[in-house]
């Protein structure tokens, strides 16, 4: 029909915008920015506070792309990498809900260590549109012969909680896996989600890698969402003039109970699993009527137990969960009204992360209540609050050249279709961790996996063969199976399974702890009083204890005492000075003012440009207390270094005791040194030459080599159902250590173990930085007739390690009586 205008076809409505409109939402600016960057082919890192919507910001880009392409049944398009397998199910559910809202018929699956055999079999047949997985499980998939084909259609990898992986071997494992996936799928985009850390730009570069040809560098996207976080502290009723570790803990129980009563749901965070067990019992005894409303959550509890607690949190049917960092990340528990932090926050970022578990919705206020167990921890909470306001947050340093992780990855790649040397070297060098890998190191690595190096006489170390075309492959079925069983970098002491006599699993403890319990002995685990029936083959069979009045031992786990971050330790020093000058309004500082007054009267409160050294003589001997405010690891390193240098000049016995603020040197002989002599003792010059002398490097190297050997695949954890004991693992790695030391001293894994001792045991980079900083400080040398409030915690820690519990309590009480009397006399009481 001429002359009749046809209506112009209208473009289909954007399904993402339509879905937001149906929900009554308005996309945040950072979500739009992330979507536009993804559509433009860019990678990046999204920095947004908890509950702001960063998951959707990363998810909607690849989903919108697939919807626009009109794909009906696409192959794997998105890999979602999570640091915790406990988060996988919740993440998969959240992603699936978004797909349902958008009308997309695709499936989100998960593949972790918790995935059932049936689900794994289904994933082998076909991968879903999106797969939520962990670094370990992703590497397991990359070890399959058809890995290249299965990942060829991949468009995007999202790394959740990237700040938790950065600076760890798992983070390096993720870097290598991402480089492999970029080879399989050119043009792959990498997106990360992160909470606040001090080096976000570097974190983005490490995650996204160097841009491919015609690609722009990774983009860092900040959410302009102001998350309000309130940090409050419970102030003790009475001021203790001479604080020591943990002395306030029990006295705060009543106040904690009152605060829990005021909220519908509370998370009570502790710093260790042992503290979790103890405080659960304390709360239960204080309020037995809460028996059905209290729960516990930590990493050693069985998965079913943790899952049940998480579900009760979602439903709001639990009043308080006593927990560790196992509930730090990711999971959205909207009913949580308040968060309590028991003891030192240890780090600024860590406290903010935990605070974000409450008010987990956009626009909500997140609140955390600090519960001090030590008077100086009051200052730590104040320092964390001030640092938060000033934007001072800890950085996470990425690792460089951990060769044990690379050795494992090369065998994984040889299993996953094989690799050619030149191409793989370029792929590996595209990561931040191995950008500086040299040709000689590369040749050594290839020689080690193909010939076994100095272990060439043993076939199990010749894992990879090179075919006539030059492709590196694993052809031995048995070696392939053993390698897949050992993929990963998470290491711990041998885990002993706790089982009831009816077979029900409760969780795990470490072998060293349970081996001290006699049959018939009692211990407490998961909030239960248990009696040991038998201990065999890393399984402890238990039954409910019948002796109601016996408390039983509380399990403890190695490495439970985490150090204060260097940033928070320095912030504490700044707050002490501000308090002395009357320049702070933080309520915690008003509470500790009487303590600081005694410190100033008997010594000084050191300023940022000062280094305080107190020299005191007691009936125990001679003490020097040094306060760099550098965190436990660095303080310990400086203390060991200074003690060794003192003994090198004149043979003497010196005991070193560190804490987060300083260290004590204790000797039967006088420790009389001038300020100039102290400056020489604290000099950064000759640090690397002197450190081996002040450490038991042989024994430390042997211990650290156990981890390196395990990650590199030289030592196996054991077979399913037949794990090796800690003693067996140590013997195996110790034998290899001795062989390499004697016959292969240039072995690169030995060198790595020695390097990791310096990096991990003493944080040598910060140790050197601190020593150089101390060189510019004024040394204040004080001869004190008695222990000061700052010195007392170090003295208490020192004698506690040498005395029985009863003797320690007697000595502590006697010293407190003397010091309090002296303080009262000063005040004219």
């Amino acid at each position: 029909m001429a002359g009749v205008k046809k209506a112009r076809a209208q473009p289909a409505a954007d399904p993402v915008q339509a879905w937001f409109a149906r929900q009554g939402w308005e996309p945040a600016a950072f979500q739009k920015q992330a979507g536009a960057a993804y559509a433009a082919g860019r990678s990046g890192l999204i920095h947004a506070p908890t509950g702001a919507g960063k998951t959707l910001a990363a998810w909607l880009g690849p989903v919108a792309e697939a919807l626009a392409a009109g794909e009906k049944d696409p192959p794997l398009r998105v890999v979602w990498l999570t640091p915790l397998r406990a988060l996988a199910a919740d993440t998969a559910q959240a992603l699936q809900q978004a797909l349902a809202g958008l009308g997309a018929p695709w499936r989100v699956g998960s593949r972790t260590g918790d995935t059932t055999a049936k689900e794994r079999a289904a994933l082998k047949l076909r991968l879903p549109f999106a797969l939520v997985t962990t670094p370990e499980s992703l590497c397991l998939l990359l070890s399959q012969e058809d890995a290249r084909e299965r990942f060829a259609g991949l468009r995007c990898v999202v790394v959740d909680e990237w700040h938790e992986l950065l600076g760890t071997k798992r983070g390096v494992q993720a870097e290598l896996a991402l480089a492999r996936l970029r080879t399989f799928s050119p043009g792959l985009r990498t997106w990360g989600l992160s909470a606040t850390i001090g080096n976000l730009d570097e974190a983005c570069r490490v995650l996204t890698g160097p841009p491919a040809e015609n690609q722009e560098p990774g983009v860092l996207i900040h959410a302009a969402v102001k998350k309000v976080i309130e940090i409050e502290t419970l102030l003790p009723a009475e001021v203790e003039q001479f604080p020591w570790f943990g002395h306030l803990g029990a006295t705060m129980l009543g106040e904690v109970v009152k605060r829990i009563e005021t909220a519908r749901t509370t998370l009570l965070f502790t710093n260790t699993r042992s503290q979790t067990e103890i405080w659960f019992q304390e709360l239960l005894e204080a309020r037995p009527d809460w028996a059905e409303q209290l729960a516990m959550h930590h990493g050693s509890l069985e998965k079913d137990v943790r899952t049940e607690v998480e579900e009760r949190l979602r439903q709001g049917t639990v009043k308080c969960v006593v927990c560790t960092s196992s509930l730090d990340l990711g999971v959205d528990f909207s009913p949580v009204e308040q968060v309590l932090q028991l003891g030192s926050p240890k780090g600024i970022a860590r406290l903010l992360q935990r605070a974000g578990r409450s008010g987990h919705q956009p626009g909500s206020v997140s609140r955390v209540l600090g519960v001090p167990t030590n008077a100086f921890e009051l200052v730590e909470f104040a320092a964390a609050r001030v640092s938060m306001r000033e934007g001072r947050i800890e950085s996470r340093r990425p690792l460089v050249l951990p060769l044990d992780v690379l050795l494992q990855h090369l065998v994984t790649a040889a299993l996953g279709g094989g690799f050619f040397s030149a191409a793989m070297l370029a792929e590996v060098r595209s990561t931040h961790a191995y950008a500086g890998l040299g040709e000689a190191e590369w040749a050594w690595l290839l020689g080690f996996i193909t010939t076994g190096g100095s272990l060439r006489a043993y076939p199990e170390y010749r894992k990879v063969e090179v075919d006539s075309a030059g492709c590196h492959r694993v052809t031995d079925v048995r070696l392939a199976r053993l390698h897949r069983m050992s993929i990963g970098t998470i290491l711990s002491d041998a885990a002993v399974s706790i089982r009831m006599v009816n077979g029900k699993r409760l969780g795990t403890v470490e072998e060293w702890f349970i081996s001290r319990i006699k049959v018939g002995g009692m211990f407490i685990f998961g909030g239960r009083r248990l009696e040991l029936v038998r201990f065999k083959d890393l399984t402890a069979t238990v039954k409910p204890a019948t002796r109601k009045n016996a408390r039983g031992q509380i399990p403890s786990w190695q490495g439970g005492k985490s150090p204060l971050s260097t940033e928070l330790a320095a912030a504490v020093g700044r707050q002490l000075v501000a308090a002395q000058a009357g320049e702070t309004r933080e309520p915690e500082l008003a509470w500790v003012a009487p303590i600081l007054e005694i410190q100033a009267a008997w010594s000084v409160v050191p300023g940022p440009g000062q280094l305080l050294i107190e020299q005191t003589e007691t009936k125990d001997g001679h003490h020097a207390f040094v306060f760099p405010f550098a965190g436990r690891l660095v303080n310990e390193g400086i203390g060991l270094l200074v003690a060794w240098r003192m003994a090198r000049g004149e043979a003497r016995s010196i005991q070193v005791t560190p804490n987060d603020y300083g260290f004590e040197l204790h000797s039967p002989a006088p420790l009389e040194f001038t300020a100039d002599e102290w400056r020489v003792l604290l000099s950064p010059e000759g640090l690397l030459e002197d450190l081996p002398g002040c450490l038991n490097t042989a024994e430390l190297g042997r211990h650290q080599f156990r981890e390196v050997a395990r990650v590199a695949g030289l030592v196996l954890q054991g077979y399913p159902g037949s794990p090796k004991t800690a003693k067996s693992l140590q013997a195996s790695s110790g034998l290899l250590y001795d062989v390499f030391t004697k016959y292969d001293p240039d072995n690169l894994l030995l060198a790595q173990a020695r390097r990791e001792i310096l990096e991990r045991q003493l944080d040598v980079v910060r140790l050197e930085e601190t020593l150089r900083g101390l060189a510019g400080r004024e040394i204040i040398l004080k001869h004190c007739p008695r222990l000061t409030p700052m010195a007392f915690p170090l003295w208490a820690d020192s004698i506690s390690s040498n005395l029985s519990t009863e003797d320690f309590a007697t000595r502590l009480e006697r010293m407190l009586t003397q010091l309090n009397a002296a303080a009262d006399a000063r005040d004219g009481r």
Side-chain angles (χ1 to χ4, degrees):
M1 294 174 56
V4 177
K5 272 190 173 180
K6 289 186 178 180
R8 182 177 296 175
Q10 296 297 316
D14 184 332
V16 174
Q17 289 185 357
W19 177 55
F20 266 74
R22 288 195 302 273
Q23 303 295 318
W25 300 340
E26 176 64 31
F30 81 94
Q31 292 175 325
K32 294 177 181 178
Q33 186 182 356
Y38 182 88
R42 299 188 70 178
S43 298
L45 180 66
I46 301 171
H47 166 234
T50 299
K54 57 180 177 284
T55 297
L56 278 180
W59 178 230
L60 293 179
V63 171
E65 180 182 61
L67 286 170
E71 296 184 295
K72 301 301 182 185
D73 188 23
L76 179 69
R77 289 288 185 251
V78 181
V79 165
W80 196 282
L81 211 59
T82 175
L84 290 178
R85 62 185 183 184
L87 298 179
D90 291 275
T91 302
Q93 183 179 12
L95 301 183
Q96 190 73 65
Q97 286 174 349
L99 288 182
L102 290 164
W106 312 318
R107 188 172 66 86
V108 178
S110 65
R111 172 64 169 87
T112 70
D114 291 335
T115 304
T116 66
K118 182 179 179 181
E119 291 170 325
R120 293 180 190 182
L123 291 173
K124 280 190 175 181
L125 296 176
R126 180 177 173 81
L127 291 172
F129 171 78
L131 184 69
V132 182
T133 188
T134 59
E136 296 76 20
S137 291
L138 175 58
C139 289
L140 195 57
L141 291 171
L142 289 174
S143 74
Q144 303 302 320
E145 180 67 30
D146 60 350
R148 184 180 294 268
E149 292 75 23
R150 289 163 71 82
F151 288 102
L154 192 64
R155 298 287 182 268
C156 177
V157 177
V158 179
V159 184
D160 208 347
E161 309 284 2
W162 171 235
H163 57 283
E164 287 295 318
L165 292 173
L166 185 66
T168 69
K169 288 188 178 181
R170 295 184 79 209
V172 174
Q173 186 181 31
E175 284 186 64
L176 289 167
L178 288 170
R180 195 85 186 120
L181 291 174
R182 291 177 188 126
T183 297
F184 291 167
S185 179
L188 179 73
R189 282 152 287 184
T190 307
W191 282 85
L193 310 179
S194 179
T196 300
I197 53 175
N199 55 332
L200 279 167
D201 288 319
E202 183 179 36
C204 182
R205 291 194 301 271
V206 174
L207 173 70
T208 58
E213 190 174 352
N214 300 322
Q215 269 192 336
E216 293 185 78
V219 58
L220 177 59
I221 294 177
H222 295 277
V225 179
K226 183 64 176 178
K227 181 65 174 178
V228 179
I229 298 178
E230 296 181 356
I231 301 173
E232 183 189 353
T233 309
L234 275 181
L235 299 178
E238 296 182 3
V239 178
E240 294 285 348
Q241 298 177 109
F242 298 93
W244 73 96
F245 179 77
H247 76 288
L248 286 178
T251 65
M252 304 300 289
L253 178 61
E255 287 299 317
V256 170
V257 169
K258 289 179 183 178
R259 290 303 184 106
I260 293 174
E261 286 176 333
T262 65
R264 181 176 59 162
T265 304
T266 298
L267 294 182
L268 173 58
F269 278 105
T270 72
N271 290 329
T272 67
R273 286 166 282 184
S274 298
Q275 268 189 323
T276 300
E277 295 277 352
I278 292 169
W279 269 78
F280 181 85
Q281 292 298 318
E282 295 285 352
L283 289 173
L284 197 57
E285 290 184 11
R287 289 297 301 267
D289 56 310
W290 284 357
E292 301 301 320
Q293 296 177 280
L294 289 176
M296 183 192 307
H297 194 289
H298 62 68
S300 291
L301 294 172
E302 192 62 23
K303 173 182 177 288
D304 292 345
V305 177
R306 289 182 276 117
T307 301
E308 180 185 351
V309 173
E310 292 162 16
E311 187 57 35
R312 291 178 65 192
L313 271 171
R314 287 188 197 90
Q315 296 172 357
T317 60
V318 60
K319 190 161 191 63
C320 177
V321 178
V322 191
C323 55
T324 62
S325 55
S326 59
L327 284 183
D328 268 5
L329 303 178
V331 185
D332 181 2
F333 299 123
S334 298
V336 174
E337 291 184 1
Q338 70 174 350
V339 168
L340 274 63
Q341 167 63 42
L342 178 69
S344 169
K346 297 297 183 182
I348 303 154
R350 185 185 198 189
L351 185 63
L352 301 185
Q353 178 79 31
R354 291 183 169 183
R357 296 296 91 206
S358 69
H360 202 284
Q361 301 91 23
S364 298
V365 176
S366 293
R367 295 180 175 88
V368 61
L369 178 67
V371 183
T373 65
N374 176 307
F376 282 133
E377 287 178 349
L378 287 163
V379 186
E380 292 180 30
F381 285 113
R385 184 191 301 116
V386 173
S387 296
M388 176 190 70
R389 290 200 296 256
E390 296 174 348
R392 298 174 184 261
I393 308 295
E394 295 89 356
S395 297
R396 301 283 182 98
R397 284 196 177 96
L399 299 185
V400 176
L401 291 176
L403 299 183
D404 53 347
V405 183
L406 183 52
L407 279 172
Q408 183 185 116
H409 179 74
L410 290 177
V411 179
T412 296
L415 273 169
F419 67 86
F420 292 90
S421 174
M424 178 56 78
L425 177 57
E427 179 182 307
V428 167
R429 282 177 172 170
S430 72
T431 67
H432 176 277
Y434 302 101
L437 185 68
E439 295 285 347
E441 292 168 311
W442 180 246
W444 184 90
L445 290 163
L446 291 183
F448 198 81
I449 61 174
T450 53
T451 70
S454 55
L455 302 174
R456 59 177 52 88
Y458 304 94
E460 60 266 34
Y461 297 109
R462 301 195 299 268
K463 300 179 180 182
V464 177
E465 296 181 4
V466 185
D467 64 20
S468 57
C471 184
H472 293 69
R473 298 181 182 274
V474 176
T475 58
D476 188 305
V477 175
R478 175 179 167 274
L479 291 178
R481 184 172 64 252
L482 289 174
H483 177 77
R484 290 189 175 109
M485 287 165 44
S486 301
I487 285 176
T489 63
I490 301 175
L491 305 170
S492 63
D493 283 344
V496 174
S497 177
I498 306 297
R499 292 177 182 264
M500 300 295 287
V501 289
N502 63 5
K504 181 181 179 180
R505 293 183 57 173
L506 302 181
T508 60
V509 296
E510 289 179 0
E511 182 185 7
W512 71 271
F513 169 78
I514 203 68
S515 62
R516 299 184 309 168
I517 308 292
K518 296 180 179 180
V519 171
M522 275 185 54
F523 66 100
I524 294 173
F525 181 78
R528 306 185 186 195
R529 287 182 172 83
L530 303 171
E531 180 181 327
L532 182 64
V533 177
R534 60 180 172 273
F535 174 36
K536 184 179 181 182
D537 296 332
L538 292 183
T539 297
T541 303
V542 299
K543 65 180 182 181
T546 56
R547 289 172 289 163
K548 300 296 183 183
N549 58 339
R551 293 182 62 88
Q553 296 187 52
I554 300 286
S556 57
W557 286 261
Q558 302 283 16
K561 188 176 270 190
S562 55
L564 199 69
S565 73
T566 303
E567 288 80 3
L568 187 52
V572 168
R574 291 193 296 271
Q575 281 303 298
L576 292 176
V577 174
Q580 276 295 101
E583 297 173 354
T584 179
R585 297 181 179 178
E586 307 306 317
E588 297 86 353
L589 274 299
W591 193 93
V592 300
I595 300 175
L596 299 182
E597 288 174 7
I598 297 173
Q599 176 67 34
W602 291 0
S603 177
V604 298
V605 177
Q610 298 173 325
L611 175 66
L612 172 63
I613 301 175
E614 295 179 353
Q615 294 178 321
T616 305
E617 183 179 356
T618 70
K619 73 173 189 177
D620 303 308
H622 299 267
H623 312 262
F625 300 96
V626 186
F627 299 99
F629 285 90
R632 179 181 292 270
L633 287 182
V634 172
N635 287 338
E636 181 179 20
I638 298 175
L640 291 171
L641 177 70
V642 170
W644 184 79
R645 286 174 172 175
M646 285 179 174
R648 180 178 56 182
E650 177 185 345
R652 64 176 80 205
S653 173
I654 302 175
Q655 175 184 330
V656 180
T657 302
N659 68 13
D660 286 316
Y661 311 127
F663 60 89
E664 176 203 23
L665 303 176
H666 175 213
S667 175
L671 295 171
E672 295 292 335
F673 296 91
T674 66
D676 288 339
E677 289 171 329
W678 275 107
R679 201 167 291 285
V680 172
L681 292 169
L682 291 163
S683 170
E685 303 306 320
L687 172 65
L688 295 180
E689 292 78 10
D690 288 349
L691 278 178
C694 68
L695 295 170
N696 184 354
T697 50
E699 191 54 40
L700 284 174
R702 183 185 301 273
H703 180 79
Q704 191 62 35
F705 183 76
R706 172 184 167 186
E707 175 183 322
V708 171
R710 159 66 184 86
V711 173
L714 301 182
V715 176
L716 297 176
Q717 293 281 62
Y719 299 93
S722 180
K724 290 187 177 181
T725 65
K727 186 179 294 186
S728 175
L729 283 173
Q730 191 65 53
S732 301
S733 61
L735 180 61
L736 289 173
Y737 180 83
D738 291 338
V739 169
F740 289 157
T741 301
K742 186 173 183 179
Y743 300 106
D744 189 11
D746 296 326
N747 189 293
L748 295 185
L749 297 181
L750 280 182
Q752 181 185 331
R754 297 183 187 115
R755 187 175 72 247
E756 288 185 0
I757 291 169
L758 298 180
E759 292 173 351
R760 294 189 181 190
Q761 298 291 330
L762 300 177
D763 197 352
V764 70
V765 174
R766 293 197 177 191
L767 174 58
E768 184 172 13
E769 290 175 355
T770 302
L771 288 175
R772 295 199 181 281
L774 294 180
R777 291 197 205 178
E778 173 193 2
I779 292 180
I780 300 179
L781 199 57
K782 287 288 183 178
H783 294 267
C784 302
R786 61 183 67 86
L787 297 173
T788 67
M790 286 178 59
F792 184 78
L794 281 166
W795 175 84
D797 279 352
S798 174
I799 66 166
S800 70
S801 62
N802 298 317
L803 299 174
S804 67
T805 302
E806 184 177 351
D807 290 339
F808 168 66
T810 302
R811 288 286 307 281
L812 193 70
E813 187 61 36
R814 186 184 306 132
M815 181 63 77
L816 278 171
T817 300
Q818 295 172 3
L819 294 177
N820 282 321
D824 291 343
R826 180 190 73 87
D827 295 334
R829 297 180 190 174

